[in-house]
Amino acid sequence: MSATQTRSAEGAAAAGGEHRSRGPAGPDAGYNFGYLDENTKRMIRRALLKAVAIPGHQVPFGSREMPLPYGWGTGGIQVTAAVIGPDDTLKVIDQGADDTTNAVSIRRFFARVTGVETTERTAEATIIQTRHRIPETPLHEGQVLVYQVPMPEPLFRLEPSVTETRRMHALADYSLMHVKLYEDIVRHGHIATSYNYPVMVNGRYLMSPSPIPAFDNPKMHRMPALQLFGAGREKRIYAVPPWTEVRSLDFEDHPFEPVRADAACALCGSRESYLDEVVTDDRGGRMFVCSDTDYCHTRQARREAAE
Amino acid sequence: MAYVAVKGGERAIEAAHAWLAEERRGDPMLPELTVPQIAQQLGLAVDRVMAEGACHDRGLAALAIKQARGDLIEAAFLLRAYRTTLPRFGASLPLDTGAMRIRRRISATYKDLPGGQVLGPTFDYTHRLLDFALAAEGEPPPPAPEAPAGDATMPRVTGILAREGLMASEAPGEAEPPDLTREPLACPADRPLRLQALARGDEGFLLALGYSTQRGYGNAHPFVGEIRLGEVAVEIEPPELGFPIEIGEITVTECQMVNQFAGSRTEPPQFTRGYGLVFGHGERKAMAMALVDRALRARELGEEATAPAQSEEFVLYHCDNVEATGFVEHLKLPHYVDFQSELEKIRQMRATALREAAE
Amino acid sequence: MMHDLPHHPHPDPPPPAGEGRGGGVSGGACPLLAAHGLSLRYGAVPALDDVSLSIWPGEVVAIVGESGSGKTTLLRVLSGLLRPEAGEVLYRDPEGAAHSIHGMGEAALRRLHRSDWGFVHQNPRDGLRLGVSAGGNIGERLMATGARHYGCIRAAASDWLRRVEIDPARLDHLPRTFSGGMQQRLQIARTLVTHPRLVFMDEPTGGLDVSVQARLLDLIRGLVAELGLSVLLVTHDIAAARLLAHRMLVMRRGRVVESGLTDRVLDDPQHEYTQLLVASVLAA
């Protein structure tokens, strides 16, 4: 299976120490550190402070037009640009992987405009920008997890008007969402949401966790790291401070259940991690591998070292 | 091997960029298009990119069109991303379009009026027959005949109506309007903010919405009071000087639509205005903008607001083509983690359903 | 058709003379809701002109009048959906504290509407979610007040379907497949499931056939007596008022022209407008 071989080769390369790198020639002198000007960074930091003070509440901010398209992480990029400093170590993942094209593109962008050290190692990063996943390796205090958020409003499929959903948040009136979950069980026997699964933050605000799989939701609860969320196109920032309560909505007799493929990773053997399904032929052949590449590489390296 | 191709990284991106550059250039046997050629000969494309890119610079807009291979939304995006890095010095004084150096000025509400009707460089009344002479490179066309320079001033039609008390007056605005590029949009949005969003908005979107108001979705009764195209001076008033200075001249198209208004409890019947203003020569956009502006005033004028063009949230949140294109196109980014969770959920629900059917 | 008059929960209601003008002083128990001097104009048209009224626990009060008399406006003002230009509405919570309805803010008012209060709209479409199952419609208010056990919510919804005479087998059906009368009964179930203390009803039998109306009125009467509800009922239907209400107020052009115990007002109307109303229903 050449796919397996490719993965293993990458794992070995990572274990061999090529997981860290510095921007090719330091920051690009043509741009301010982190691309954004200092006033814009200050404006974003003010929004972030407000967001941290009101966990789960969406704070409007003056999102700028970035040199990457809306929907491709402009919110996360602006948040990262506002909090990153020269001593930081940055990790960027998309779908859990460091080497997906959009992750590569964003990592290159920051290498160019900040010159900071980048890493693929979750444990070594001070800032992790992510799209659609939370790393498997538990985060620790002092780390910052920056989520790219396409639609910050958890109620948007039920109520498209921003004016109306803002009122619902103000009044903590979330019965619309509960009715939706009730109807799911009526029709399907299960809550039919599998990603972007809504959560209550600190017992007050209904929040979109961004389109992470529901599997990752429990990692948000009382996470030691600071979680920041940026939605560039929708011009909203929100946050979950460290150690904050984050509960996935459910019913007492239909408790929230994170779903993963019932298989082991073909590369590292993990039965705990979230798995990608890889179709190997058109006759139903498939294999499962970890979505978190760093986690998988680390486990493979440890296993090889033990052998 | 599909999944190896997706992880792939850095090299794939670089190769894609190289290929893109090759495609952009096209056949190297043909002479390369120059930026001045685009600025001169594809002028209306440049105007549109300046308007939707919200940055008045013909040279940069032409460069963006070249870089974007003629994709005008991509070009507007390039211009916007450049614009956002520029320092912001302040706001200009309101443009005085009454003092415009006019190239085109027409009114549909009067047969003749002070200053007269000036047709200008327009496609109107051309027969849309492909001109095969243009396919051959030839001599430049002979110069257009020029009317003797008149000294007549050209007062705005809406001013003529206003003097008679027939045109509703506009509430005086604040000294400096809000800046959509610095502050997030919040609804309800006041008119300066709405006009700003529409001026940057997508021509096609506004055209369709404006059209919908004519077909009964919004109950519009518009007349083109006036369309004028030409050059206006841009003035700023630096606080340290205390008087205005001219910093240059730009080309703009202005459209003022005159609309019926039955009056309300507090207002006698009179005409109301729909306003459109865009960079460069952008008549279709200015007219569509004026229709939509008027439709969005429904609530403040006490009219029933039921049509899409009258819904402020709907129009303002969806008129920006750079935002729209980003979000539509982001669907091609990998979503396989979410798709995987959907797969597992559907399998689980199918298993439940099949089990229940078997019982 | 004659019915027994409903038994009034307060053997000694406040003197009718005190009603409709400055509010009566009750001997003993406090009113659940008391309004004083409500006024509101639509342009030059007075919709409410110095209206006062009170409703006591367990009491059903009907507000009758022709369309345009201001009765629906009064209901909307009393329930906080509309703000009056003058006057005040006070609500007494279960702990006995009085709250000004128009001074409490939107959040507190919404809380009140989904817990202590209920509102039954004339058109069930305004009170139901047509794309949500009957069970979901009934369960919404339970969930809004904290219920999180799917099985219990379903059991309660099922029980309420039975109580409003809808086959519990239709628990998972969408209300758009229901007849008008069923939709109205579903709306009543959705409203009463949280045992509100005070229910506002705006022409609850308005759009229904006469035979369906009678059945619905009987159902409402039974539930009101069983649950000891206070009801403010707006209707142009004198027969409905007679069947359900302990007391009634007659409105015309934004003013209360007559008020008192239902049997007294209907059997011995004092105001000539009331006499006309009663005569026209008898003629009909």
Side-chain angles (χ1 to χ4, degrees):
Chain A
M1 185 103 341
S2 65
T4 316
Q5 286 156 10
T6 309
R7 270 294 187 100
S8 302
E10 282 172 12
E18 286 176 26
H19 55 277
R20 293 169 83 96
S21 62
R22 187 163 271 284
D28 190 323
Y31 290 98
N32 193 37
F33 180 85
Y35 181 77
L36 297 173
D37 62 273
E38 293 302 313
N39 279 329
T40 299
K41 287 192 209 168
R42 221 167 285 148
M43 174 272 293
I44 295 173
R45 285 180 204 136
R46 275 197 294 270
L48 286 169
L49 286 174
K50 188 169 173 183
V52 168
I54 316 171
H57 169 63
Q58 301 167 47
V59 181
F61 81 112
S63 176
R64 298 294 189 254
E65 268 150 335
M66 301 299 286
L68 279 77
Y70 287 116
W72 300 53
T74 55
I77 291 171
Q78 290 181 77
V79 168
T80 297
V83 300
I84 200 167
D87 298 333
D88 274 309
T89 304
L90 177 70
K91 170 181 167 83
V92 182
I93 50 173
D94 189 332
Q95 313 297 299
D98 297 273
D99 57 353
T100 38
T101 39
N102 202 43
V104 168
S105 164
I106 292 172
R107 188 163 53 241
R108 272 160 54 121
F109 176 74
F110 277 111
R112 180 170 171 191
V113 298
T114 66
V116 301
E117 199 171 327
T118 59
T119 183
E120 296 187 0
R121 291 276 171 90
T122 300
E124 290 171 6
T126 56
I127 300 173
I128 301 169
Q129 180 168 329
T130 180
R131 180 168 169 265
H132 294 192
R133 276 309 313 273
I134 297 175
E136 306 288 359
T137 309
L139 301 185
H140 54 76
E141 267 188 59
Q143 286 182 304
V144 180
L145 183 59
V146 178
Y147 296 77
Q148 299 172 199
V149 181
M151 280 303 285
E153 179 48 65
L155 294 160
F156 84 98
R157 284 187 203 285
L158 308 172
E159 171 54 66
S161 161
V162 178
T163 311
E164 187 51 35
T165 53
R166 277 173 70 91
R167 181 177 296 125
M168 290 176 181
H169 286 295
L171 303 175
D173 182 356
Y174 298 129
S175 52
L176 202 56
M177 182 59 85
H178 293 295
V179 169
K180 190 260 175 202
L181 300 182
Y182 172 93
E183 294 288 293
D184 273 3
I185 301 176
V186 168
R187 288 197 198 129
H188 311 294
H190 297 272
I191 292 173
T193 305
S194 63
Y195 63 94
N196 208 349
Y197 190 106
V199 294
M200 280 298 282
V201 177
N202 204 25
R204 172 58 181 85
Y205 281 98
L206 185 70
M207 188 186 90
S208 157
S210 89
I212 56 173
F215 175 86
D216 282 341
N217 273 21
K219 296 175 186 161
M220 306 181 83
H221 178 57
R222 297 184 54 76
M223 183 191 277
L226 171 62
Q227 303 175 72
L228 303 176
F229 299 78
R233 188 180 41 78
E234 295 287 331
K235 302 168 181 61
R236 294 287 186 276
I237 278 173
Y238 52 100
V240 176
W243 306 109
T244 302
E245 184 181 274
V246 179
R247 296 280 180 206
S248 304
L249 294 190
D250 62 1
F251 291 97
E252 288 156 18
D253 48 343
H254 282 261
F256 169 81
E257 45 174 27
V259 180
R260 73 186 280 281
D262 184 20
C265 171
L267 304 179
C268 78
S270 174
R271 287 198 159 273
E272 285 77 48
S273 70
Y274 191 76
L275 300 176
D276 293 341
E277 181 171 332
V278 181
V279 176
T280 51
D281 56 43
D282 57 2
R283 296 178 305 278
R286 62 172 69 100
M287 60 186 276
F288 292 91
V289 293
C290 289
S291 133
D292 184 335
T293 47
D294 170 60
Y295 172 85
C296 195
H297 293 165
T298 307
R299 281 176 55 92
Q300 289 175 58
R302 204 181 298 145
R303 201 164 61 177
E304 279 165 25
E307 278 167 9
Chain B
M1 292 323 94
Y3 106 98
V4 180
V6 171
K7 317 250 165 190
E10 203 132 351
R11 276 195 314 278
I13 292 177
E14 273 163 13
H17 292 176
W19 198 347
L20 173 69
E22 203 179 304
E23 291 273 319
R24 177 188 296 120
R25 177 59 182 87
D27 184 350
M29 300 301 287
L30 293 172
E32 184 175 352
L33 205 51
T34 68
V35 169
Q37 278 172 348
I38 295 170
Q40 286 294 316
Q41 296 174 36
L42 296 177
L44 297 185
V46 170
D47 286 345
R48 180 168 177 183
V49 169
M50 291 197 304
E52 290 167 13
C55 179
H56 194 288
D57 188 313
R58 297 194 73 77
L60 289 178
L63 172 63
I65 291 170
K66 178 173 177 177
Q67 185 177 335
R69 304 178 60 201
D71 179 337
L72 298 189
I73 292 180
E74 179 71 19
F77 180 18
L78 286 169
L79 205 54
R80 290 244 197 125
Y82 171 78
R83 177 195 191 277
T84 197
T85 64
L86 300 176
R88 187 178 181 285
F89 296 120
S92 77
L93 297 176
L95 299 182
D96 181 5
T97 51
M100 179 184 279
R101 234 167 3 90
I102 287 197
R103 285 197 274 149
R104 170 167 165 79
R105 186 267 200 128
I106 52 164
S107 168
T109 51
Y110 293 102
K111 181 170 189 211
D112 200 4
L113 66 169
Q117 310 256 17
V118 180
L119 219 42
T122 175
F123 291 122
D124 299 352
Y125 315 113
T126 62
H127 297 156
R128 268 60 168 201
L129 303 169
L130 277 176
D131 182 356
F132 294 102
L134 288 174
E137 289 164 41
E139 295 297 303
E146 245 175 273
D151 53 4
T153 53
M154 293 202 185
R156 283 176 291 201
V157 167
T158 46
I160 297 169
L161 287 168
R163 246 189 310 284
E164 215 185 317
L166 295 178
M167 174 58 75
S169 57
E170 307 298 340
E174 291 165 32
E176 192 175 318
D179 184 346
L180 197 57
T181 65
R182 302 278 146 168
E183 298 295 330
L185 176 67
C187 289
D190 60 7
R191 197 157 171 226
L193 200 64
R194 297 199 305 250
L195 287 169
Q196 209 173 103
L198 298 181
R200 290 156 52 92
D202 182 67
E203 179 172 318
F205 179 76
L206 295 182
L207 178 66
L209 276 180
Y211 177 47
S212 72
T213 68
Q214 291 178 281
R215 293 195 66 260
Y217 288 88
N219 201 24
H221 304 278
F223 296 95
V224 170
E226 185 178 337
I227 294 169
R228 51 174 61 200
L229 157 72
E231 282 65 45
V232 289
V234 180
E235 293 183 316
I236 58 166
E237 191 175 301
E240 61 272 30
L241 285 183
F243 55 85
I245 54 170
E246 191 178 320
I247 57 169
E249 209 177 55
I250 60 172
T251 305
V252 294
T253 309
E254 180 185 61
C255 174
Q256 302 219 40
M257 290 276 185
V258 177
N259 291 262
Q260 282 178 21
F261 175 53
S264 67
R265 264 209 321 267
T266 52
E267 301 274 336
Q270 57 191 334
F271 293 115
T272 53
R273 187 184 334 236
Y275 188 76
L277 182 81
V278 293
F279 284 157
H281 190 177
E283 212 159 293
R284 184 188 301 124
K285 163 82 176 275
M287 293 176 75
M289 175 176 169
L291 289 174
V292 176
D293 169 51
R294 176 59 183 78
L296 288 177
R297 299 180 65 196
R299 217 176 304 275
E300 71 192 52
L301 294 172
E303 298 166 342
E304 209 188 356
T306 50
Q310 294 168 317
S311 164
E312 179 179 294
E313 244 200 73
F314 183 81
V315 174
L316 299 186
Y317 273 100
H318 300 119
C319 68
D320 190 298
N321 55 20
V322 176
E323 288 179 8
T325 200
F327 200 47
V328 167
E329 294 198 38
H330 107 286
L331 290 173
K332 64 194 170 191
L333 288 179
H335 282 77
Y336 55 79
V337 162
D338 293 346
F339 186 69
Q340 184 64 38
S341 61
E342 288 284 89
L343 272 178
E344 293 301 332
K345 183 54 96 173
I346 294 232
R347 282 172 183 153
Q348 182 194 40
M349 292 194 302
R350 281 172 62 86
T352 306
L354 292 173
R355 198 168 51 241
E356 278 169 10
E359 276 164 13
Chain C
M1 54 175 185
M2 287 300 291
H3 291 271
D4 296 337
L5 280 172
H7 171 69
H8 198 283
H10 295 266
D12 295 312
E19 281 301 305
R21 288 258 151 259
V25 181
S26 82
C30 293
L32 196 57
L33 192 80
H36 303 286
L38 299 178
S39 292
L40 180 64
R41 304 174 78 79
Y42 291 133
V45 186
L48 293 180
D49 186 0
D50 192 25
V51 174
S52 300
L53 71 87
S54 299
I55 178 166
W56 270 261
E59 194 182 31
V60 178
V61 175
I63 303 165
V64 300
E66 301 166 307
S67 63
S69 61
K71 55 189 193 308
T72 293
T73 299
L74 176 58
L75 198 68
R76 292 176 61 79
V77 168
L78 291 173
S79 59
L81 301 177
L82 261 184
R83 183 170 286 278
E85 284 158 356
E88 187 182 36
V89 182
L90 289 176
Y91 169 70
R92 199 166 293 275
D93 69 21
E95 282 73 47
H99 304 273
S100 165
I101 292 306
H102 298 94
M104 65 170 46
E106 204 185 339
L109 185 64
R110 273 221 191 178
R111 232 177 352 260
L112 205 53
H113 264 280
R114 66 190 187 211
S115 54
D116 278 17
W117 289 8
F119 200 111
V120 176
H121 299 264
Q122 173 174 4
N123 188 340
R125 284 156 200 277
D126 296 334
L128 294 175
R129 294 189 191 281
L130 294 186
V132 166
S133 69
N137 267 289
I138 299 174
E140 177 168 356
R141 269 175 78 100
L142 291 172
M143 291 186 266
T145 48
R148 292 291 178 270
H149 191 286
Y150 176 80
C152 295
I153 293 165
R154 278 179 81 70
S158 195
D159 181 48
W160 269 96
L161 281 185
R162 192 185 45 72
R163 291 174 82 163
V164 298
E165 297 165 17
I166 297 174
D167 182 357
R170 306 205 62 174
L171 187 62
D172 296 339
H173 294 200
L174 295 181
R176 68 165 70 100
T177 63
F178 289 11
S179 70
M182 281 169 76
Q183 288 184 355
Q184 197 55 292
R185 279 179 274 140
L186 179 60
Q187 191 191 184
I188 287 166
R190 168 184 161 95
T191 307
L192 299 188
V193 65
T194 50
H195 295 275
R197 304 171 71 213
L198 174 61
V199 179
F200 302 88
M201 294 189 182
D202 186 6
E203 305 271 12
T205 56
L208 304 174
D209 295 344
V210 176
S211 61
V212 179
Q213 281 185 17
R215 184 175 167 201
L216 186 65
L217 286 173
D218 269 345
L219 178 76
I220 293 175
R221 189 160 81 138
L223 288 171
V224 164
E226 188 186 330
L227 300 171
L229 294 175
S230 301
V231 177
L232 264 168
L233 168 73
V234 156
T235 181
H236 68 277
D237 180 358
I238 301 285
R242 187 192 280 280
L243 183 67
L244 293 177
H246 304 113
R247 278 192 300 130
M248 61 189 286
L249 282 73
V250 182
M251 286 193 75
R252 189 190 188 200
R253 294 185 191 149
R255 298 183 71 89
V256 175
V257 296
E258 181 160 1
S259 66
L261 292 174
T262 304
D263 53 351
R264 205 280 298 150
V265 172
L266 293 182
D267 296 342
D268 182 20
Q270 302 295 303
H271 194 276
E272 58 184 34
Y273 177 70
T274 316
Q275 291 165 0
L276 245 153
L277 273 183
V278 174
S280 65
V281 77
L282 292 179

